[in-house]
């Protein structure tokens, strides 16, 4: 369904380890909004929902709600560090266009 690079897995693991409580995984979602109409969102979840797709990548778990699954099919999530900062990058084959910020698409 989605691919999570080793760099992204490491960043997700750091976030989960720093949560201070037991976390079921990182929710990756698509929401209305952003510069181009839709935006990516991420949040630590204490428990998975019954209809979530549960993806295990290395030692981390990623949760996808049913509505986001079709928008994210085939997406590669990476974590990059550069001169302008660091963060998650989504390479989404379903996006017809995206905003310069990299967090919004349509």
């Amino acid at each position: 369904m989605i691919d999570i690079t080793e760099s992204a897995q490491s960043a997700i693991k750091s976030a989960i380890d720093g949560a201070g409580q037991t976390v079921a995984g990182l929710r990756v979602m698509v929401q209305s909004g952003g510069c181009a109409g839709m935006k990516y969102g991420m949040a630590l979840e204490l428990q998975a929902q019954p209809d979530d797709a549960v993806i295990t990548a290395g030692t981390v778990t990623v949760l996808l709600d049913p509505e986001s699954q079709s928008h994210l099919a085939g997406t590669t999530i990476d974590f990059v560090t550069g001169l302008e900062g660091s963060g998650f990058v989504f390479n989404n084959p379903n996006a017809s266009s995206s905003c310069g910020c990299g967090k919004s698409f349509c």
Side-chain angles (χ1 to χ4, degrees), residues 40-64:
Y40 301 107
M42 302 173 106
L44 295 177
E45 291 287 344
L46 299 179
Q47 65 186 65
Q49 297 302 310
D51 55 355
D52 282 340
V54 179
I55 298 162
T56 303
T59 61
V60 300
T61 300
V62 173
L63 308 170
L64 303 175

Side-chain angles (χ1 to χ4, degrees), residues 18-33:
Q21 57 186 322
T22 302
V23 173
L26 177 75
R27 179 168 305 284
V28 177
M29 65 198 105
V30 174
Q31 303 167 308
S32 295

Side-chain angles (χ1 to χ4, degrees), residues 53-79:
V54 179
I55 298 162
T56 303
T59 61
V60 300
T61 300
V62 173
L63 308 170
L64 303 175
D65 65 83
E67 292 180 24
S68 298
Q69 290 175 28
S70 62
H71 295 293
L72 294 170
T75 297
T76 297
I77 301 174
D78 194 10
F79 187 85

Side-chain angles (χ1 to χ4, degrees), residues 5 14 19 37 58 76 92 101:
T5 67
S14 291
T76 297
N92 186 344
C101 70

